[in-house]
Amino acid sequence: MSHAAVPFGGGGAPVVGVGFVRFVAGVFALAGPVFLVTGLMDVWRGEAEAYGLPPIPVWYVAAEAVIVAAFLWWMWRRSGVLRREWDAGSVLRRAAVAGLTASLVAFAVCFGLGRGGWVLLSWLAGGLCGLTLLTGDRPGEESATEADV
């Protein structure tokens, strides 16, 4: 792992090495398909139950909605990160920004309604959209392939 991957720009050596990260990735790569097949078989046989959340107090749902709305306002304001990504982004980046925004709204709504499976699905969709934004080129910066030309 390079020093660029160390959180907060720490100057010391990384806490874990590449070998450990590869080992953990290998464990997930081997266990993931097993859990997927097991889960699909449970669904096929009708043994899987819908994942629901316990009843959530109304005040908590209202507070969550206010927090999500404030966060989205902060991210979409003129100098916000999502607005800059939208203005300078390609079609893929704009789709990721829209997907991230929709997944945050869906997370809040589904959590308030107690739909646990949909909460997890919206969380996964938001994570994938966020990864798309994190791994792509930054708005206003030229990509590595453009710099080589």
Side-chain angles (χ1 to χ4, degrees), residues 11-101:
V15 178
V16 295
V18 175
F20 177 75
V21 174
R22 287 182 179 164
F23 172 75
V24 171
V27 168
F28 278 100
L30 293 174
V34 172
F35 286 111
L36 175 66
V37 169
T38 304
L40 290 175
M41 289 177 65
D42 285 346
V43 170
W44 180 261
R45 289 182 287 206
E47 297 174 359
E49 295 181 24
Y51 175 67
L53 297 172
I56 301 169
V58 174
W59 66 268
Y60 188 83
V61 173
E64 177 201 16
V66 167
I67 290 169
V68 168
F71 180 74
L72 284 174
W73 173 81
W74 179 62
M75 296 296 281
W76 274 101
R77 64 187 177 158
R78 189 176 303 272
S79 61
V81 175
L82 292 180
R83 175 68 62 91
R84 288 189 309 239
E85 293 284 343
W86 181 268
D87 290 341
S90 63
V91 173
L92 177 64
R93 293 185 76 76
R94 284 186 175 190
V97 168
L100 183 61
T101 302

Side-chain angles (χ1 to χ4, degrees), residues 1 10 23 35 63 77 84 106 121 123 134 148:
M1 293 177 67
F23 172 75
F35 286 111
R77 64 187 177 158
R84 288 189 309 239
L121 185 63
W123 190 21
L134 287 174
D148 294 338

